[in-house]
Amino acid sequence: MPGKNLTDRIEKYVKIIGKEKQLKQGQINSIIQLISTVRTDGAISDEDLLTFFELVGEES
Amino acid sequence: MTQNNIFIRKITWENVRNFESLELPSGSGKFSNSTSLAQIQNGYGKTTTLYLLRSVFSNMPIDKNFIKSGYRYRFPHKKWGGDQNSPSKFYVEFEVNDEFCRIGLEIDHINMKQKFTTFRESLGGEIDGWQPPNIFRRLFEGKDDFVKLFVMDGELAKELNSSTGSAAVNAAIKQVTNLAGLHLLVGSELTNGQIHRVKQEQLSSIIGDGEERGVRLQSALSKVEELKQEQRMRLQQAKDHVSRVSAEIIECNIRKNKLDKKISQTNKELEKAKTRLERSSTDLEKTATSILERLFQPAFSYPEWQEVQEFHASQVKAKLPRSVGRTWFKEVLELETCICGRSWDEHSKEYVGEHLEDFLDTRLMTYVKEMQDSVAEHSNSQSYGSELERLKQKQIERVLNSQSVDDIRSQASDEDRKAYSELDQKIGTLTTELTQWEHLRDVIGSEKLEFIKEWGLHQFVYNTDTTVTNNIAKIKEIENLKGLEIVESDIARKIAEIGGAAEIAKGAELVQNVISEMLTRVEKEINIELEGKMNSSISRMVGAGQDGGLVVKITDQGLQYYNPNGDLQSGVNMAAELGGSYAFISALYQYAEVSIPLVLDTPLAGFGDGASADWTKLVPPTFNQVIALINSSEMRALKGWFEKGNADVYLIRRADEVIPLGKPQTGKMIVDSNVDNFVTYERDVLKGDEE
């Protein structure tokens, strides 16, 4: 079933795009975590979103 | 990806249109996890049921325009048990990951109100409001477009094939694949997603428009650093001048002393007069200091002190309020040892506990008494006026002694007098200069708040709203180093904030770009897969692929069909449209993270027998649960299939109906589970139609 590996595919693409943009592993992991949170909870609060920005931004 | 399950187990109507009171399945029956066919005569309420189901799923009430009559029980009599004046009630029982949940919608036509109800054990029974389990809420709340996809009628099937359905197709893909939340995050354009909004709201006030604010602050900071450097140099110059002028004054005084010594050889009175002058100067200083100290004594400076003193003297015997003393005793009793140093024993504690009230009656709290005593005893024999007079006296003494010294010096030779005069003049000039340099030194270097305030040294440091200035024009006016440091520190803090905010903004930009690109790539891949699966299904369906050779594509204009030559087919027959829609939904469903029931209203309208057979091969096997509300024509098309036990069948009819005729339409609406009745329902009507 294609849906079974949709999460894996999303992660795969985030990793590929992250590498293309020369992101560090920590930044890629943070974005994957953000995607997982939004897909699990349906949405994310502004405050939590800012935390992810910080996590990704501080490593750039 | 399917991990969660949602099943419909029962639907109940009360006073809804044709339904007096009906449970489907009736009694203790439940919808199974396979396909259920509910045969209902046209006009009996299939579409009504569909709309109510969509409301129950999405927590979106029915259109207000339909409250008054749209769902009201339609028969004015009560012969069959219905009541036109009672609210219409519609309930759906769900099983959500093994949890029982019943959601109801009650429509009060008379008071024009409607409300949802929810029954869950975890809620303690039935409550008002729409409170299903979280997974249900997250999937469906407010998502009527999504709900339409699996509580579906022919209208939506057609819509998916039109340009107006393009939004529905794309929204459906996003919602079923659970990528909709990520789309809200990044937005359809760069400026309308949550990421952009949060970035604007939270960071723009710090960063400002572009980098301008940072540049302005950096420029102001450079200016402050430059000014500090300048002021430090000026401070050092002022200090050097103070030292130089002071040295020159000392030098002048040494020369004056030499002259004095020369005069003293002939006039012994000069040394004595100088000693008196020195003493009177010291006296004047001591007196001034002493009076200053007295000013801080209330007995000296407060004219009504005697009254205060008398009051405290009268209160020396006063006691603390009992409650205060009692609290103190309780605290002492809680200590490990008494304040006398001995360990408490039960007897001692008991004794103190019993007698503390007596003690409070007769004893005073020492520290209060000490304070009262010190007030009562504080006094001052000197008055303000007498002290002022004393100070004045000391000043006069000093002036006289100074005059006396000058008189003696005036008796010197002309040459010496000239030298004195020149020295005095020089000392006068130097003293003025010294005062000016000292003032400049203090203006630049002082950190004493009193001095800073007295001379208004920080008037350009702060704005009128007490915030610190970042304005270069104002900063240039600040001479005081402490003031410049305050401005420097404020600007540095803001620059640091911008630095941090810029980092966060960079993070937001990266998140936005990565997720947007990921969505583009993943969805492109999904679309290709969906098209592949759809066409695989369609190629086996009569009316579309099999005999028409049509190929369907997902486009911005919805589902579009192409003939074997690759030409776009602007109009295809209804069977092809329906086939395409079912193929799309079936293919899409495989991406769902939740197993959702598919509810269909008249799903085969427009299909021939062949297409209906294809439908049975495509739709029921894809979904864990299918509930189809069908009419008798559709029943006939599916007969060979459900008779093999592929579906549970229910006939909803009126109690008085003659089965083959479906008439008369009288009697209470019932659920008839008899398969023979299901098969023969409206047989004679259909036969007549065929003839």
Side-chain angles (χ1 to χ4, degrees):
Chain A
M1 190 178 283
K4 233 177 189 176
N5 60 17
L6 185 55
T7 303
D8 294 341
R9 273 196 273 173
I10 288 170
E11 283 189 19
K12 182 190 80 180
Y13 276 120
V14 170
K15 283 175 185 167
I16 292 169
I17 297 161
K19 295 279 179 209
E20 286 169 5
K21 294 187 180 296
Q22 299 182 328
L23 300 192
K24 292 174 187 158
Q25 194 54 46
Q27 292 174 301
I28 293 170
N29 291 344
S30 297
I31 295 173
I32 289 171
Q33 180 61 42
L34 167 63
I35 291 169
S36 169
T37 303
V38 173
R39 293 192 81 225
T40 306
D41 300 341
I44 186 168
S45 70
D46 290 355
E47 201 176 297
D48 289 346
L49 187 56
L50 264 178
T51 311
F52 279 104
F53 293 167
E54 273 182 63
L55 283 171
V56 176
E58 71 187 9
E59 287 199 51
S60 57
Chain B
M1 191 171 175
T2 304
Q3 294 160 351
N4 301 285
N5 292 293
I6 295 173
F7 294 104
I8 294 174
R9 292 306 184 206
K10 191 184 280 288
I11 300 173
T12 305
W13 298 258
E14 277 181 40
N15 295 308
V16 179
R17 299 292 286 169
N18 286 292
F19 301 93
E20 291 79 27
S21 172
L22 191 75
E23 281 185 347
L24 179 67
S26 52
S28 58
K30 290 178 179 176
F31 284 120
S32 68
N33 290 3
S34 61
T35 301
S36 298
L37 301 175
Q39 185 181 177
I40 311 177
Q41 196 175 131
N42 287 341
Y44 270 14
K46 288 192 288 293
T47 305
T48 300
T49 302
L50 200 77
Y51 287 143
L52 288 170
L53 271 168
R54 285 175 180 168
S55 278
V56 162
F57 266 101
S58 64
N59 188 24
M60 294 177 79
I62 59 161
D63 190 327
K64 281 180 186 169
N65 296 323
F66 298 117
I67 291 182
K68 195 169 181 67
S69 57
Y71 296 85
R72 193 173 194 170
Y73 180 64
R74 55 165 55 173
F75 300 102
H77 62 76
K78 294 186 179 179
K79 281 189 278 187
W80 305 326
D83 182 358
Q84 206 176 28
N85 294 321
S86 291
S88 298
K89 297 180 179 178
F90 181 75
Y91 300 98
V92 184
E93 293 179 10
F94 294 99
E95 191 179 304
V96 183
N97 288 337
D98 298 328
E99 183 189 346
F100 175 80
C101 167
R102 186 182 68 214
I103 302 177
L105 177 59
E106 299 182 7
I107 304 161
D108 182 342
H109 326 282
I110 293 166
N111 297 309
M112 295 294 285
K113 287 180 179 169
Q114 54 182 324
K115 69 170 184 181
F116 286 103
T117 62
T118 308
F119 177 96
R120 285 170 67 193
E121 272 188 26
S122 58
L123 298 173
E126 183 165 274
I127 59 159
D128 281 351
W130 192 85
Q131 297 287 342
N134 278 338
I135 182 75
F136 193 101
R137 175 186 290 277
R138 181 166 68 73
L139 278 170
F140 307 127
E141 187 172 24
K143 295 178 183 171
D144 53 338
D145 279 341
F146 179 43
V147 170
K148 272 184 187 174
L149 274 180
F150 60 90
V151 184
M152 189 185 179
D153 56 3
E155 197 181 317
L156 180 80
K158 281 181 209 160
E159 200 182 317
L160 292 176
N161 291 278
S162 67
S163 58
T164 54
S166 61
V169 169
N170 291 313
I173 294 170
K174 288 172 190 167
Q175 288 175 346
V176 174
T177 53
N178 197 13
L179 296 174
L182 295 175
H183 276 281
L184 289 176
L185 210 59
V186 296
S188 56
E189 295 162 20
L190 285 177
T191 54
N192 64 358
Q194 187 185 4
I195 291 176
H196 180 78
R197 180 180 56 73
V198 170
K199 195 174 146 191
Q200 286 296 108
E201 287 175 3
Q202 308 283 334
L203 305 176
S204 62
S205 63
I206 301 172
I207 299 173
D209 297 330
E211 294 178 350
E212 278 180 22
R213 186 165 180 248
V215 171
R216 277 200 309 273
L217 285 170
Q218 201 62 55
S219 165
L221 185 64
S222 300
K223 190 70 201 172
V224 172
E225 283 163 0
E226 185 189 316
L227 288 170
K228 271 179 71 182
Q229 196 61 32
E230 280 176 20
Q231 295 302 344
R232 281 200 193 101
M233 284 171 64
R234 284 182 74 206
L235 177 62
Q236 190 53 50
Q237 285 170 357
K239 283 178 177 174
D240 290 346
H241 281 300
V242 167
S243 300
R244 177 186 57 78
V245 176
S246 298
E248 284 184 38
I249 290 172
I250 289 168
E251 177 59 31
C252 288
N253 282 323
I254 289 169
R255 285 167 62 190
K256 265 179 86 177
N257 279 337
K258 281 181 182 169
L259 281 172
D260 284 345
K261 275 184 184 170
K262 189 179 168 189
I263 291 166
S264 294
Q265 287 172 355
T266 53
N267 190 342
K268 301 291 178 193
E269 283 302 311
L270 180 59
E271 282 307 312
K272 289 177 189 169
K274 280 177 75 177
T275 307
R276 284 198 299 274
L277 174 60
E278 201 173 316
R279 198 179 295 144
S280 61
S281 295
T282 310
D283 273 1
L284 178 61
E285 198 178 322
K286 281 183 181 171
T287 306
T289 309
S290 149
I291 291 172
L292 269 176
E293 282 171 1
R294 276 180 200 276
L295 282 173
F296 289 96
Q297 294 174 2
F300 177 77
S301 55
Y302 183 53
E304 315 295 332
W305 177 250
Q306 200 178 341
E307 282 178 31
V308 176
Q309 199 176 22
E310 282 169 6
F311 170 77
H312 275 268
S314 71
Q315 297 297 315
V316 160
K317 299 288 180 195
K319 303 181 190 84
L320 276 178
R322 268 171 179 258
S323 58
V324 178
R326 205 174 284 130
T327 304
W328 183 82
F329 269 110
K330 281 179 183 167
E331 284 171 2
V332 170
L333 285 170
E334 282 167 10
L335 297 174
E336 282 186 18
T337 54
C338 174
I339 51 173
C340 66
R342 291 177 194 160
S343 295
W344 285 109
D345 58 41
E346 282 309 310
H347 172 73
S348 312
K349 278 192 173 183
E350 198 179 323
Y351 181 85
V352 173
E354 281 175 7
H355 292 84
L356 69 88
E357 295 293 334
D358 305 335
F359 193 86
L360 287 170
D361 267 346
T362 57
R363 306 297 175 93
L364 300 169
M365 299 302 291
T366 311
Y367 61 89
V368 177
K369 186 171 184 306
E370 280 172 4
M371 185 272 286
Q372 287 173 326
D373 284 346
S374 68
V375 172
E377 287 162 14
H378 174 70
S379 62
N380 197 306
S381 56
Q382 305 299 325
S383 72
Y384 184 67
S386 69
E387 286 297 273
L388 259 186
E389 188 55 39
R390 190 159 71 96
L391 186 63
K392 208 171 172 182
Q393 195 58 45
K394 294 291 176 191
Q395 280 175 319
I396 292 167
E397 276 173 27
R398 191 189 170 283
V399 169
L400 290 173
N401 286 328
S402 177
Q403 190 62 50
S404 172
V405 170
D406 289 345
D407 287 348
I408 296 167
R409 282 174 179 159
S410 67
Q411 294 166 16
S413 65
D414 287 350
E415 188 189 346
D416 288 345
R417 280 211 311 277
K418 191 182 172 196
Y420 267 127
S421 173
E422 283 172 0
L423 283 172
D424 281 343
Q425 207 169 11
K426 194 171 179 188
I427 288 171
T429 309
L430 287 170
T431 305
T432 306
E433 193 184 349
L434 180 66
T435 307
Q436 287 169 348
W437 286 121
E438 280 178 338
H439 182 71
L440 180 62
R441 178 196 64 191
D442 293 343
V443 163
I444 299 171
S446 180
E447 295 190 0
K448 287 181 182 166
L449 289 178
E450 294 85 350
F451 183 81
I452 289 168
K453 196 170 177 185
E454 183 184 353
W455 292 94
L457 302 180
H458 286 182
Q459 64 168 313
F460 294 107
V461 172
Y462 296 101
N463 299 312
T464 46
D465 61 358
T466 73
T467 55
V468 176
T469 187
N470 300 150
N471 181 309
I472 290 179
K474 286 176 80 177
I475 293 168
K476 281 180 183 169
E477 301 292 328
I478 303 168
E479 288 183 290
N480 182 256
L481 276 169
K482 179 75 183 168
L484 286 170
E485 279 165 10
I486 290 169
V487 174
E488 182 184 39
S489 158
D490 183 71
I491 295 174
R493 179 182 58 76
K494 285 174 181 162
I495 289 174
E497 267 183 13
I498 289 177
E503 234 174 39
I504 296 171
K506 177 75 180 163
E509 199 179 313
L510 286 171
V511 169
Q512 169 93 24
N513 291 342
V514 172
I515 295 180
S516 295
E517 278 193 44
M518 178 277 291
L519 285 171
T520 305
R521 294 191 200 183
V522 166
E523 284 173 351
K524 190 176 173 190
E525 212 172 83
I526 289 173
N527 275 16
I528 292 168
E529 286 171 3
L530 278 174
E531 283 183 1
K533 285 181 178 300
M534 282 168 65
N535 284 306
S536 166
S537 302
I538 280 187
S539 66
R540 298 193 299 270
M541 290 185 83
V542 174
Q546 198 180 68
D547 52 356
L550 294 176
V551 171
V552 66
K553 288 184 179 175
I554 299 167
T555 71
D556 291 340
Q557 281 73 45
L559 305 179
Q560 291 201 325
Y561 298 82
Y562 293 81
N563 67 17
N565 297 325
D567 301 324
L568 174 66
Q569 302 297 291
S570 54
V572 292
N573 64 45
M574 193 188 288
E577 279 188 345
L578 280 174
S581 296
Y582 287 125
F584 171 69
I585 292 169
S586 301
L588 187 57
Y589 179 76
Q590 295 174 58
Y591 289 88
E593 58 166 331
V594 178
S595 160
I596 302 167
L598 178 68
V599 182
L600 300 163
D601 172 16
T602 330
L604 305 177
F607 274 10
D609 286 351
S612 298
D614 293 335
W615 180 88
T616 62
K617 288 173 195 158
L618 173 67
V619 177
T622 307
F623 293 86
N624 284 350
Q625 187 185 39
V626 177
I627 297 170
L629 309 177
I630 59 172
N631 58 31
S632 47
S633 300
E634 290 171 300
M635 179 274 294
R636 285 173 70 87
L638 295 170
K639 190 167 175 281
W641 177 69
F642 67 75
E643 280 183 335
K644 288 178 188 165
N646 289 314
D648 302 323
V649 295
Y650 305 94
L651 172 63
I652 297 174
R653 63 174 177 86
R654 292 217 167 270
D656 299 343
E657 285 177 24
V658 175
I659 302 296
L661 292 173
K663 289 178 184 172
Q665 294 172 352
T666 57
K668 182 179 162 56
M669 195 73 87
I670 58 167
V671 173
D672 184 344
S673 299
N674 184 300
V675 179
D676 289 338
N677 287 347
F678 186 85
V679 173
T680 53
Y681 189 62
E682 290 194 309
R683 182 190 61 200
D684 294 353
V685 180
L686 292 172
K687 206 181 281 177
D689 289 347
E690 283 163 12
E691 286 165 7

